[in-house]
Amino acid sequence: MDLIEFVSSQALRDHATAKYGKRASMGWSPGRRWDFGYSLAGDVYECFLDSIVTHRTRWVDVGGGRAILPHNDALSASLAERCESLTSVDPSRNVFENPYAHEKICSMFEDFQVEKKFNLATFRMVAEHVEAPDAVIKKLEECVEPGGLVVIYTINKHSPIPIITRLTPFSWHHKIKKIFWGGQEKDTFPVAYKMNSKQELDSLFVDGGEFKPALFRYLDDVSATIEYNFLNLVEMYVWRFCQSLGLRYFENNILAVYIRK
């Protein structure tokens, strides 16, 4: 049973309106998602984050680099203003380009010098890059206070695209990523896939005894064709067909939340 509340369908609708505008003014891509009743996995993460950040939140964002939410500047600014503190920790100097973090630390998270406790730690599309997960968990035990949340939003390693990525030389990753999602080459990093399944995450967080599971969801990811109108329409119908059969879409991401005991 979930220990914390997941976002509602109405909350996702409100989030879409705030991000993309009312239905009449939406572009074809968000408008189609609205009509199909589908929310991007990244939008679900943003909406969930919006629901848990308060004026008492002492937040460490791990590996976010230049952005907290790369595709939602308005919500990034709102969350940064709302929370008590926001520390961004990233080994890349991209972190100094982050306009929302109150404190910017260029460091591997496991080497981060903890000077205060946090009640929220977030890993947005970062867990797939972690080479030393045991060290990351140890650091979380050090810096997250009892009752604090750790939110992992990441790739499911058993989905088709991550499988292809594991079989593809890293020198090709940005070229492929640019075709589907765009972005800059300096924002593309090697992947390890050591924290990218429910079994792996539970083993790391729960079996050690310092955390307990609070929420776990597979988020259908219909984004590979987001820039291609006709292909996206086809993919949306495939997604709807899976929904009608009660099946999880074959490409999906993970949203996992753990509470520090």
Side-chain angles (χ1 to χ4, degrees):
M1 184 177 68
D2 295 338
L3 298 182
I4 57 178
E5 188 175 353
F6 190 51
V7 291
S8 66
S9 297
Q10 185 58 53
L12 288 169
R13 287 286 199 178
D14 293 342
H15 174 273
T17 301
K19 184 173 181 177
Y20 303 109
K22 293 183 178 179
R23 174 63 185 91
S25 61
M26 288 180 182
W28 69 263
S29 187
R32 177 176 291 155
R33 295 195 294 273
W34 179 279
D35 294 342
F36 272 76
Y38 168 74
S39 295
L40 288 172
D43 285 353
V44 177
Y45 170 74
E46 291 176 4
C47 189
F48 177 73
L49 200 57
D50 192 17
S51 73
I52 62 173
V53 173
T54 73
H55 68 283
R56 295 180 179 177
T57 299
R58 298 182 303 282
W59 176 8
V60 57
D61 183 55
V62 181
R66 73 182 74 243
I68 301 299
L69 302 171
H71 306 294
N72 199 331
D73 289 340
L75 183 56
S76 297
S78 175
L79 295 177
E81 182 178 356
R82 184 191 313 169
C83 68
E84 180 178 321
S85 66
L86 171 52
T87 300
S88 184
V89 181
D90 194 297
S92 168
R93 294 191 63 81
N94 290 352
V95 71
F96 295 119
E97 301 175 32
N98 189 320
Y100 306 109
H102 305 163
E103 182 182 20
K104 306 166 189 181
I105 308 293
C106 185
S107 168
M108 295 291 290
F109 179 65
E110 49 266 45
D111 299 326
F112 169 47
Q113 298 300 306
V114 178
E115 297 179 356
K116 60 182 177 182
K117 295 285 187 178
F118 301 94
N119 53 27
L120 174 64
T122 55
F123 292 72
R124 180 198 173 280
M125 288 298 166
V126 174
E128 62 270 25
H129 304 292
V130 172
E131 292 282 359
D134 290 335
V136 168
I137 299 301
K138 184 176 180 180
K139 183 59 64 173
L140 285 169
E141 293 171 353
E142 180 183 346
C143 73
V144 176
E145 66 182 25
L149 301 179
V150 179
V151 180
I152 309 288
Y153 169 53
T154 191
I155 292 165
N156 177 2
K157 68 188 291 183
H158 300 303
S159 292
I161 290 178
I163 292 173
I164 293 170
T165 301
R166 290 203 299 275
L167 300 174
T168 304
F170 177 68
S171 61
W172 294 8
H173 286 192
H174 175 67
K175 297 180 180 70
I176 296 171
K177 178 181 172 183
K178 187 176 182 180
I179 293 172
F180 293 103
W181 301 286
Q184 300 182 47
E185 188 168 5
K186 64 181 179 179
D187 293 324
T188 301
F189 303 96
V191 288
Y193 294 125
K194 296 181 180 181
M195 298 177 66
N196 294 92
S197 69
K198 186 178 190 303
Q199 181 180 7
E200 288 171 342
L201 288 169
D202 283 350
S203 176
L204 288 163
F205 280 93
V206 181
D207 292 353
E210 299 298 330
F211 293 89
K212 58 184 178 182
L215 179 75
F216 188 91
R217 288 288 189 281
Y218 291 106
L219 306 180
D220 291 347
D221 183 15
V222 188
S223 68
T225 58
I226 198 170
E227 300 294 332
Y228 305 95
N229 196 323
F230 177 72
L231 290 177
N232 180 254
L233 180 61
V234 172
E235 188 175 19
M236 288 303 306
Y237 275 113
V238 173
W239 173 80
R240 177 177 282 178
F241 179 69
C242 291
Q243 288 284 104
S244 70
L245 297 179
L247 300 175
R248 188 165 65 235
Y249 192 59
F250 52 84
E251 191 71 47
N252 56 78
N253 295 333
I254 288 171
L255 179 66
V257 185
Y258 297 90
I259 297 178
R260 178 77 159 88
K261 292 181 181 179

PDB file of all heavy atoms in Angstrom, residues 7-14:
ATOM      1  N   VAL A   7      -0.545  11.477  -7.624  1.00  0.00           N
ATOM      2  CA  VAL A   7      -1.282  12.573  -8.238  1.00  0.00           C
ATOM      3  C   VAL A   7      -2.576  12.069  -8.874  1.00  0.00           C
ATOM      4  O   VAL A   7      -2.638  10.963  -9.416  1.00  0.00           O
ATOM      5  CB  VAL A   7      -0.425  13.289  -9.297  1.00  0.00           C
ATOM      6  CG1 VAL A   7       0.708  14.047  -8.625  1.00  0.00           C
ATOM      7  CG2 VAL A   7       0.118  12.327 -10.327  1.00  0.00           C
ATOM      8  N   SER A   8      -3.605  12.887  -8.821  1.00  0.00           N
ATOM      9  CA  SER A   8      -4.906  12.537  -9.385  1.00  0.00           C
ATOM     10  C   SER A   8      -4.971  12.935 -10.858  1.00  0.00           C
ATOM     11  O   SER A   8      -4.166  13.726 -11.349  1.00  0.00           O
ATOM     12  CB  SER A   8      -6.024  13.259  -8.622  1.00  0.00           C
ATOM     13  OG  SER A   8      -5.937  14.670  -8.826  1.00  0.00           O
ATOM     14  N   SER A   9      -5.979  12.404 -11.537  1.00  0.00           N
ATOM     15  CA  SER A   9      -6.199  12.768 -12.936  1.00  0.00           C
ATOM     16  C   SER A   9      -6.483  14.260 -13.069  1.00  0.00           C
ATOM     17  O   SER A   9      -6.013  14.913 -14.013  1.00  0.00           O
ATOM     18  CB  SER A   9      -7.372  11.963 -13.513  1.00  0.00           C
ATOM     19  OG  SER A   9      -7.085  10.586 -13.512  1.00  0.00           O
ATOM     20  N   GLN A  10      -7.226  14.817 -12.114  1.00  0.00           N
ATOM     21  CA  GLN A  10      -7.529  16.249 -12.169  1.00  0.00           C
ATOM     22  C   GLN A  10      -6.272  17.085 -11.963  1.00  0.00           C
ATOM     23  O   GLN A  10      -6.090  18.109 -12.630  1.00  0.00           O
ATOM     24  CB  GLN A  10      -8.579  16.612 -11.108  1.00  0.00           C
ATOM     25  CG  GLN A  10      -9.052  18.062 -11.179  1.00  0.00           C
ATOM     26  CD  GLN A  10      -9.637  18.416 -12.536  1.00  0.00           C
ATOM     27  OE1 GLN A  10     -10.538  17.729 -13.023  1.00  0.00           O
ATOM     28  NE2 GLN A  10      -9.130  19.472 -13.156  1.00  0.00           N
ATOM     29  N   ALA A  11      -5.406  16.641 -11.067  1.00  0.00           N
ATOM     30  CA  ALA A  11      -4.146  17.366 -10.852  1.00  0.00           C
ATOM     31  C   ALA A  11      -3.305  17.370 -12.121  1.00  0.00           C
ATOM     32  O   ALA A  11      -2.674  18.375 -12.465  1.00  0.00           O
ATOM     33  CB  ALA A  11      -3.372  16.742  -9.699  1.00  0.00           C
ATOM     34  N   LEU A  12      -3.303  16.258 -12.851  1.00  0.00           N
ATOM     35  CA  LEU A  12      -2.558  16.177 -14.101  1.00  0.00           C
ATOM     36  C   LEU A  12      -3.158  17.095 -15.162  1.00  0.00           C
ATOM     37  O   LEU A  12      -2.444  17.730 -15.932  1.00  0.00           O
ATOM     38  CB  LEU A  12      -2.521  14.736 -14.608  1.00  0.00           C
ATOM     39  CG  LEU A  12      -1.628  13.787 -13.804  1.00  0.00           C
ATOM     40  CD1 LEU A  12      -1.870  12.341 -14.220  1.00  0.00           C
ATOM     41  CD2 LEU A  12      -0.157  14.142 -14.001  1.00  0.00           C
ATOM     42  N   ARG A  13      -4.489  17.198 -15.191  1.00  0.00           N
ATOM     43  CA  ARG A  13      -5.167  18.119 -16.109  1.00  0.00           C
ATOM     44  C   ARG A  13      -4.792  19.565 -15.776  1.00  0.00           C
ATOM     45  O   ARG A  13      -4.500  20.371 -16.665  1.00  0.00           O
ATOM     46  CB  ARG A  13      -6.676  17.939 -16.023  1.00  0.00           C
ATOM     47  CG  ARG A  13      -7.207  16.670 -16.651  1.00  0.00           C
ATOM     48  CD  ARG A  13      -7.183  16.746 -18.171  1.00  0.00           C
ATOM     49  NE  ARG A  13      -8.065  15.767 -18.774  1.00  0.00           N
ATOM     50  CZ  ARG A  13      -8.272  15.646 -20.080  1.00  0.00           C
ATOM     51  NH1 ARG A  13      -7.646  16.437 -20.921  1.00  0.00           N
ATOM     52  NH2 ARG A  13      -9.079  14.737 -20.563  1.00  0.00           N
ATOM     53  N   ASP A  14      -4.816  19.891 -14.492  1.00  0.00           N
ATOM     54  CA  ASP A  14      -4.468  21.252 -14.062  1.00  0.00           C
ATOM     55  C   ASP A  14      -3.013  21.565 -14.410  1.00  0.00           C
ATOM     56  O   ASP A  14      -2.680  22.678 -14.829  1.00  0.00           O
ATOM     57  CB  ASP A  14      -4.700  21.403 -12.566  1.00  0.00           C
ATOM     58  CG  ASP A  14      -6.178  21.334 -12.185  1.00  0.00           C
ATOM     59  OD1 ASP A  14      -7.028  21.502 -13.081  1.00  0.00           O
ATOM     60  OD2 ASP A  14      -6.470  21.098 -10.995  1.00  0.00           O
TER      61      ASP A  14
END
